[in-house]
């Protein structure tokens, strides 16, 4: 059986997709498949990945039957055959031998229930202020979202499918990891992804405050949807916490700095949103990107 299914949801990635796939195909000493799901690209991305698959037998290519990044990931997950699944992007790079290292760290904590391993990501940017930042900085901690989660089949059955109307998969997975006990979490210091920061990213600090905030608000709709699906499985404390984060999102959307500061929600979450709540705080957050990122 295949150890890992690496799933890419791609759209208009012709500039970076070959480099991304090369970085994955070069992984050694681990059995893996690559599933690339094209989300209705308008450039020649599909042609490029189709050609790549003809030269690499463990690469499978699909056109997404739905619309959007999440629908593409959901489709790839349904088609995957690996014991473990990880998600990846068509514009990022996978560090050498990181896939095997991630698998080994999770195998050492073999579980008969939902389990996922978290690793670190490192930024890759032409802007020196944004380049080379490791997230998270804390030793022994992995990143709760992005390309980080390596999920066993039990975790996949628990957390997928992710609602297709969400703009991304990150927030949904982060809620499960940070605010519930639905899955066992295994952390490592392995860098699993070089996250390329560029103007095509769905969300990064190269955006202006208005666009950044709009995208954050769309992402955080995941809290309502997550609560609706899993409320029967959550503890009283977990339900109370997620409800507070729903209220925090409302205050953020309305630009109510006072409420963000004093609402009964985790301090780290309040601070995280405060830093992008208006143009003034956003300019400070962006100027000190390296200092504030990764905590």
């Amino acid at each position: 059986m295949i150890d890992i299914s690496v799933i890419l949801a791609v759209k208009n990635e012709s500039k970076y997709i070959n480099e991304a796939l090369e970085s994955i195909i070069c992984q050694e000493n681990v059995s893996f498949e690559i599933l690339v799901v094209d989300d209705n690209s308008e450039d020649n991305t599909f042609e490029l990945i189709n050609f790549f698959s003809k030269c690499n037998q463990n690469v499978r290519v699909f056109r997404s039957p739905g619309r959007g990044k999440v629908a593409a990931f959901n489709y790839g997950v349904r088609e995957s055959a690996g014991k473990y699944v990880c998600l990846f992007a068509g514009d990022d790079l996978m560090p050498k031998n990181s896939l095997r290292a991630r698998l080994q760290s999770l195998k050492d904590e073999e579980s008969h229930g939902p389990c996922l391993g978290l690793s670190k990501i490192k930024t890759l940017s032409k802007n020196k202020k944004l380049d080379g930042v490791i997230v998270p900085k804390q030793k022994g901690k992995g990143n709760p979202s992005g390309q980080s989660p390596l999920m066993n089949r039990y975790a996949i059955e628990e957390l997928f499918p992710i609602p297709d109307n969400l703009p991304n998969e990150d927030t949904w997975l982060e809620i499960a990891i940070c605010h519930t006990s639905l899955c066992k979490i295994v952390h490592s210091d392995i860098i699993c992804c070089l996250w390329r920061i560029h103007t095509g990213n769905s969300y990064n600090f190269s955006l202006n405050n208005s666009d950044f905030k709009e995208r954050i608000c769309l992402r955080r709709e995941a809290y309502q949807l997550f609560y609706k699906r899993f409320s029967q499985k959550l503890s009283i404390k977990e339900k109370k916490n997620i409800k507070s984060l729903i209220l925090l999102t409302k205050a953020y959307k309305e630009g109510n700095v006072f409420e963000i500061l004093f609402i009964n929600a985790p301090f780290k979450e309040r601070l995280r949103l405060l830093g992008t709540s208006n143009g003034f705080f956003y300019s400070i957050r962006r100027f000190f990107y390296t200092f504030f990122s990764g905590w």
Side-chain angles (χ1 to χ4, degrees), residues 94-281:
M94 187 177 286
K96 187 176 181 180
N97 295 328
S98 60
L99 205 58
R100 180 180 179 275
R102 294 168 69 189
L103 177 64
Q104 193 59 51
S105 69
L106 201 53
K107 274 187 171 180
D108 289 344
E109 297 283 347
E110 198 66 60
S111 173
H112 296 291
C115 181
L116 52 85
L118 300 182
S119 304
K120 297 182 184 297
I121 64 172
K122 187 176 181 180
T123 60
L124 180 66
S125 175
K126 292 179 181 178
N127 183 334
K128 290 185 179 180
K129 278 189 178 180
L130 307 180
D131 186 54
V133 178
I134 295 176
V135 181
K137 293 175 180 175
Q138 184 181 350
K139 187 174 176 57
K141 280 285 185 180
N143 187 43
S145 63
Q147 325 285 23
S148 169
L150 177 62
M151 301 164 276
N152 70 3
R153 279 289 157 186
Y154 296 109
I156 289 295
E157 290 168 10
E158 183 71 77
L159 301 176
F160 283 77
I162 298 171
D164 283 0
N165 58 319
L166 290 174
N168 76 305
E169 78 295 342
D170 293 11
T171 309
W172 182 269
L173 294 177
E174 186 174 338
I175 297 168
I177 293 163
C178 296
H179 304 296
T180 81
S181 55
L182 292 171
C183 300
K184 178 181 178 180
I185 311 299
V186 179
H187 292 269
S188 81
D189 289 321
I190 300 158
I191 295 175
C192 66
C193 169
L194 300 181
W195 178 48
R196 196 190 301 269
I197 300 178
H198 59 94
T199 54
N201 292 137
S202 60
Y203 137 84
N204 66 61
F205 284 95
S206 66
L207 299 168
N208 63 50
N209 181 231
S210 178
D211 288 343
F212 186 94
K213 189 172 177 180
E214 181 182 350
R215 297 185 191 195
I216 288 291
C217 289
L218 288 173
R219 283 169 169 252
R220 292 183 70 92
E221 288 178 7
Y223 285 92
Q224 287 272 16
L225 297 172
F226 192 95
Y227 185 85
K228 185 177 180 181
R229 183 184 296 183
F230 292 107
S231 60
Q232 298 302 313
K233 292 187 174 184
L234 303 178
S235 68
I236 293 172
K237 183 179 179 181
E238 288 170 345
K239 285 195 280 190
K240 184 179 178 181
N241 188 30
I242 293 176
K243 280 184 176 179
S244 76
L245 293 168
I246 292 170
L247 292 174
L248 182 63
T249 300
K250 183 175 181 290
Y252 177 75
K253 192 179 294 187
E254 295 170 353
N256 193 326
V257 173
F258 183 83
E259 274 196 49
I260 293 172
L261 279 170
F262 295 105
I263 203 166
N264 186 23
F267 175 74
K268 187 176 179 180
E269 289 289 335
R270 285 182 283 148
L271 193 62
R272 186 180 179 187
L273 290 188
L274 183 66
T276 61
S277 59
N278 60 40
F280 173 71
F281 288 126

Side-chain angles (χ1 to χ4, degrees), residues 35 58 91 107 163 209 271 291:
L35 293 85
N58 59 340
D91 54 352
K107 274 187 171 180
N209 181 231
L271 193 62
F291 176 78

Side-chain angles (χ1 to χ4, degrees), residues 68 86 88 93 234 283:
C86 70
F88 211 71
L93 300 176
L234 303 178
S283 63

